[in-house]
Amino acid sequence: MFRKEAKILNSFGIHARPAGMIASVASTFESDIKLIKDRMEVNAKSIMGILSLAAGKGTRIIIEARGKDEKEAVSAIAEIFEKKFDLE
Amino acid sequence: MIIKKGVPASLGIAIGKAYVLKEESIIIEPVQIPEEKLKQEIKRFRDALENTKQELETIKAKVLNVLGKQHAKLIDAHSLILQDPLITKEVPKMILVERVNAEYALSAILDKTADEFEKIEDDFFHERKHDLFDVGKKILSNLVSREKVSLENIKEPVIVVAHNLYPSDTLHIRESHKVMGFCMDLGSKSSHTAIFAQSIGIPAVVGLSDISRQIQSGEAIIVDGEQGLIILSPTQEIIEKYITKKEEILKQERFFQRFKGLPATTRDGHRISLMVNVDSMDNIEELVSLKSDGIGLLRTEFLYMNRNGVPSEEEQIKAYSVFIKAMPQSPITIRTADIGGDRAVQLGIKSLKDEINPFMGFRGIRLFLKHPELLKTQIRAIFKSNAAENVKIMIPMLSSLEEIQSVKNVMETVKQELAEECLEIKTIPQIGVMVEVPAAALILDSLLNEIDFVSIGTNDLVQYILAVDRINQYVSELYDPYHPAVLRIINLIIQTSHKKGKPVSVCGEMASDPWAIPILIGLGVDALSVPVKMCLRAKHSVRSMSFEKFSIISQNLLGVSTSVEVRKIVEEELKQQ
């Protein structure tokens, strides 16, 4: 298992577009990936799961992966957070 | 006969047969599936997903064509939900493990997820459950092979009655050309569907709470979009009354057509500017065909609606250019977005749903100055759009000198930035203030040193000066634009501005009120800005009045102490016209 903490930096929080972004990146990995906020835990491959976190700016999220490519998965998702969900 | 009162969302009258759009409530019973048929059941589910995906793509293409990019983004979100492992993995898993039918597994999982969303306090996230159900319903209807009750199947002219209409429904309404009007349980004057109805010009009444359960398809119904009434099983007498009323409206509209292209000049030769209020990119052709004196109020909120995040500079420039191209010779006043705290969450600003009184809360320029990046992007876009030098900037909800100075600082920064980017701006757009907070009216002499023009936003000014929340049913009848206090403050604004040689326009509802028009012009306003649909009607009022007479009458009205008296005087004068 591999985990890393990330903070939501963009002022919009995890809304539909970032959630879609996380879910589609997460889906490219084999590992099971979870996002954990406080005591809530959701599947990082699920856009609805991610949205249900209702995570606003400043929220701390733990990214946790279990599987063959767990390290790559966690760092790929952490990178999306660091880039403030900016694809361009 | 039953008369129901709702919110008038779009003007006009429609008389016809109801077409009730039932919320598709498919009752789902768990059915045990024998083991050898489980694979087949999962395949049935995957086929339904595939069909739904294709449907979404077709809808998206159509939405893009007919309603534009912003609406299409909603469909994108739905496509993502369709790929969610909740649906693609969890549902097949449940079918296998519990040996149940696909419909049951899907709805069980949707319900479970919706429960999670129920717990969320944040409005934006909370509302996402509707997206989930919208997608869920689409998949279900592909599983359950039965005829869909859809707007696509309308064969004859009808009045649509619904609990709520979705963007894909409004698309079918526009395409069918058979919907004479609609009414629904949910909605307010500013909801998506109301704005849609106004833009295609069909009457609508919304916010009727349970109308969709009170009527069956085929029954007679009248939609009175003028007064916000719905009449179920109308008597012959009422039907005839409404037919007459409808004919009158049509006749009047035909009559008003003759004012197209004529100047807004009073009958004694006093010329004012008659401009229009615009709040979307719909109906640009109609806007151009009116040949009005310009856009007196371009509400930019539409750029910020139905989306997440804020519109980029490029996106804004593109939108403004559409209007500038449509009216290259006329002044175009762009108002920076007046977004309320309640809607701010979509812009990424923390939700403020616990604002007790949002009208006196975090909105307009207050919000933009706290988030200067929003203001800056909009000002940059406006500066860059001003190639033809006909663009002006207007600031909403301003209440202090410091605020206008801060805005001007931002403008200065933008100017320097653009210079550094080698984009020398030839002319800085004129800047004006929307006077709607009484404080701005009272310190207008100081504000005028910083600005080029003034526009009176009467809707909010009236509600602030009378301390009446006009959507509060207990006090809304106290909302009164003819209250002497309102006339006196408007007079103060005009006098103060004219002393400094700066023009005044009026852009609230008063500007298109046939009784208020002569008062305002009599008091000396230089311009009126009215909704597109009201423009010719307002021009008729202007052209019928005598400026000389109303200059005197308006001065007298300033000495009157009740609104009843004000109305009486105006009514008598207009009768003689």
Side-chain angles (χ1 to χ4, degrees):
Chain A
M1 189 194 64
F2 191 73
R3 62 197 301 181
K4 190 172 178 183
E5 195 186 72
K7 197 175 164 185
I8 297 168
L9 299 169
N10 75 320
S11 42
F12 309 146
I14 309 186
H15 284 284
R17 203 172 59 103
M21 222 183 269
I22 296 170
S24 51
V25 170
S27 305
T28 62
F29 294 96
E30 243 177 65
S31 301
D32 282 330
I33 313 168
K34 285 175 187 160
L35 300 184
I36 306 163
K37 176 191 146 192
D38 305 327
R39 254 172 285 155
M40 246 185 117
E41 217 180 84
V42 299
N43 181 351
K45 296 176 185 177
S46 159
I47 179 173
M48 291 313 287
I50 300 169
L51 281 172
S52 72
L53 283 178
K57 185 181 181 174
T59 311
R60 288 176 188 282
I61 299 275
I62 293 166
I63 309 161
E64 184 184 292
R66 218 182 270 269
K68 260 199 292 191
D69 47 8
E70 56 189 35
K71 279 193 180 152
E72 294 85 343
V74 169
S75 59
I77 292 170
E79 198 187 320
I80 309 178
F81 276 84
E82 280 151 23
K83 284 188 177 162
K84 302 185 186 178
F85 310 111
D86 201 6
L87 264 190
E88 289 82 37
Chain B
M1 186 172 76
I2 304 169
I3 300 178
K4 291 204 55 154
K5 177 111 182 84
V7 179
S10 180
L11 286 176
I13 284 162
I15 307 164
K17 277 188 200 161
Y19 182 91
V20 182
L21 198 63
K22 287 266 184 240
E23 282 281 285
E24 292 160 53
S25 52
I26 303 163
I27 298 163
I28 290 140
E29 301 283 351
V31 178
Q32 282 296 315
I33 307 285
E35 192 157 357
E36 67 273 17
K37 288 203 171 156
L38 281 175
K39 267 199 176 149
Q40 207 184 317
E41 187 66 10
I42 290 172
K43 181 170 183 306
R44 198 166 70 86
F45 177 68
R46 297 221 184 278
D47 289 345
L49 284 186
E50 188 51 40
N51 289 338
T52 313
K53 193 176 147 202
Q54 278 166 13
E55 269 177 29
L56 280 178
E57 271 159 26
T58 322
I59 294 177
K60 189 185 165 188
K62 275 197 201 164
V63 167
L64 256 176
N65 268 333
V66 182
L67 296 176
K69 219 165 148 187
Q70 285 176 43
H71 298 270
K73 282 195 184 125
L74 237 134
I75 314 286
D76 275 340
H78 287 185
S79 301
L80 276 169
I81 294 170
L82 201 56
Q83 294 162 24
D84 197 304
L86 260 178
I87 289 169
T88 60
K89 298 251 165 64
E90 294 295 314
V91 176
K93 203 163 118 193
M94 185 166 171
I95 297 174
L96 266 182
V97 174
E98 299 194 16
R99 297 184 187 177
V100 285
N101 51 328
E103 292 90 337
Y104 181 73
L106 174 66
S107 64
I109 283 172
L110 290 181
D111 284 346
K112 207 177 101 198
T113 316
D115 284 345
E116 290 298 311
F117 278 85
E118 279 306 327
K119 292 183 211 146
I120 300 174
E121 278 180 17
D122 182 313
D123 273 339
F124 173 82
F125 288 109
H126 187 92
E127 290 303 303
R128 294 311 101 193
K129 70 168 192 273
H130 295 302
D131 292 330
L132 183 67
F133 279 125
D134 207 9
V135 174
K137 253 181 2 198
K138 288 201 175 81
I139 307 172
L140 274 177
S141 62
N142 275 316
L143 276 171
V144 187
S145 49
R146 51 157 209 161
E147 213 184 320
K148 265 198 276 179
V149 185
S150 162
L151 288 164
E152 285 167 275
N153 305 330
I154 297 178
K155 300 279 185 298
E156 51 174 4
V158 290
I159 291 168
V160 169
V161 181
H163 178 66
N164 193 11
L165 290 166
Y166 295 98
S168 52
D169 296 326
T170 50
L171 176 79
H172 294 313
I173 290 181
R174 176 174 287 197
E175 280 192 334
S176 77
H177 300 291
K178 291 202 177 67
V179 178
M180 301 185 286
F182 66 80
C183 55
M184 56 187 219
D185 299 344
L186 302 181
S188 67
K189 200 164 185 168
S190 57
S191 59
H192 167 85
T193 3
I195 292 166
F196 165 77
Q198 290 157 22
S199 77
I200 63 168
I202 62 172
V205 178
V206 300
L208 287 151
S209 73
D210 60 351
I211 185 83
S212 66
R213 275 183 281 143
Q214 295 203 349
I215 188 167
Q216 301 292 323
S217 285
E219 287 178 2
I221 182 172
I222 297 175
V223 177
D224 179 350
E226 310 275 324
Q227 295 180 70
L229 299 177
I230 291 296
I231 296 140
L232 305 178
S233 0
T235 60
Q236 197 52 39
E237 197 185 338
I238 285 284
I239 294 180
E240 272 158 26
K241 200 184 114 198
Y242 268 103
I243 290 175
T244 321
K245 205 169 156 190
K246 200 176 159 181
E247 277 165 3
E248 267 166 27
I249 293 174
L250 273 175
K251 223 159 77 191
Q252 251 192 347
E253 247 149 46
R254 248 176 279 138
F255 168 73
F256 290 140
Q257 286 303 315
R258 71 177 66 177
F259 297 111
K260 255 188 195 173
L262 293 179
T265 309
T266 63
R267 61 167 203 254
D268 51 346
H270 177 70
R271 174 79 157 98
I272 64 141
S273 237
L274 182 60
M275 301 190 282
V276 288
N277 300 340
V278 177
D279 52 20
S280 79
M281 308 246 277
D282 297 326
N283 291 338
I284 300 275
E285 282 160 37
E286 189 181 0
L287 176 69
V288 175
S289 79
L290 275 176
K291 296 185 191 138
S292 70
D293 295 320
I295 298 177
L297 171 62
L298 175 54
R299 296 190 176 98
T300 54
E301 291 79 39
F302 74 92
L303 290 165
Y304 296 77
M305 295 293 155
N306 294 323
R307 62 179 296 146
N308 295 311
V310 285
S312 68
E313 187 180 314
E314 289 70 36
E315 220 176 320
Q316 294 192 36
I317 293 175
K318 226 170 161 184
Y320 304 148
S321 308
V322 171
F323 297 105
I324 294 165
K325 221 170 122 192
M327 307 182 82
Q329 310 293 334
S330 319
I332 295 175
T333 306
I334 302 178
R335 185 181 72 182
T336 60
D338 182 3
I339 294 157
D342 54 333
R343 277 184 269 150
V345 64
Q346 277 144 317
L347 309 182
I349 296 163
K350 210 172 158 16
S351 169
L352 291 163
K353 66 176 189 176
D354 46 358
E355 267 193 296
I356 289 169
N357 191 345
F359 283 110
M360 297 203 177
F362 193 44
R363 51 174 281 208
I365 197 60
R366 302 169 175 184
L367 191 146
F368 265 33
L369 283 175
K370 277 268 158 61
H371 296 272
E373 69 284 357
L374 295 176
L375 179 63
K376 213 165 110 183
T377 308
Q378 192 157 28
I379 287 183
R380 275 182 67 100
I382 296 173
F383 273 30
K384 284 171 105 172
S385 311
N386 190 26
E389 302 182 4
N390 58 342
V391 172
K392 303 176 187 189
I393 299 180
M394 179 151 75
I395 307 298
M397 276 302 283
L398 191 117
S399 57
S400 75
L401 183 64
E402 291 88 335
E403 283 170 335
I404 192 69
Q405 285 165 340
S406 306
V407 172
K408 288 188 81 178
N409 286 340
V410 175
M411 285 174 73
E412 193 51 43
T413 316
V414 167
K415 194 179 137 196
Q416 280 167 16
E417 272 179 15
L418 293 176
E420 278 160 29
E421 292 163 32
C422 297
L423 287 164
E424 198 70 52
I425 298 296
K426 270 188 287 176
T427 327
I428 296 294
Q430 283 194 359
I431 179 165
V433 158
M434 181 133 163
V435 177
E436 45 198 335
V437 182
L442 296 172
I443 58 159
L444 194 58
D445 51 339
S446 318
L447 297 177
L448 281 161
N449 297 330
E450 306 285 339
I451 59 175
D452 305 299
F453 66 94
V454 167
S455 188
I456 310 177
T458 52
N459 299 0
D460 279 334
L461 182 65
V462 173
Q463 98 171 333
Y464 292 142
I465 198 158
L466 300 179
V468 169
D469 176 356
R470 63 174 177 164
I471 38 187
N472 177 341
Q473 53 172 325
Y474 301 107
V475 294
S476 59
E477 56 182 54
L478 296 177
Y479 181 93
D480 183 359
Y482 304 101
H483 193 296
V486 174
L487 303 186
R488 288 179 199 183
I489 199 161
I490 289 175
N491 181 57
L492 173 72
I493 297 167
I494 296 168
Q495 294 306 319
T496 316
S497 307
H498 284 178
K499 240 177 243 160
K500 301 236 175 187
K502 313 243 159 115
V504 180
S505 67
V506 175
C507 61
E509 266 167 35
M510 274 180 94
S512 51
D513 177 339
W515 285 21
I517 286 172
I519 307 179
L520 293 170
I521 294 178
L523 287 174
V525 298
D526 306 281
L528 299 174
S529 193
V530 303
V532 168
K533 298 259 179 257
M534 305 296 271
C535 182
L536 296 176
R537 195 181 290 214
K539 197 183 279 179
H540 171 61
S541 297
V542 174
R543 291 178 61 92
S544 316
M545 67 172 278
S546 153
F547 176 60
E548 204 190 328
K549 246 191 190 162
F550 268 94
S551 299
I552 301 163
I553 293 168
S554 297
Q555 285 310 311
N556 292 340
L557 291 179
L558 294 173
V560 164
S561 41
T562 68
S563 119
V564 177
E565 249 178 293
V566 170
R567 285 169 207 256
K568 212 175 118 203
I569 295 172
V570 177
E571 189 181 5
E572 262 164 31
E573 191 52 45
L574 290 182
K575 249 193 231 152
Q576 292 169 22
Q577 228 166 242

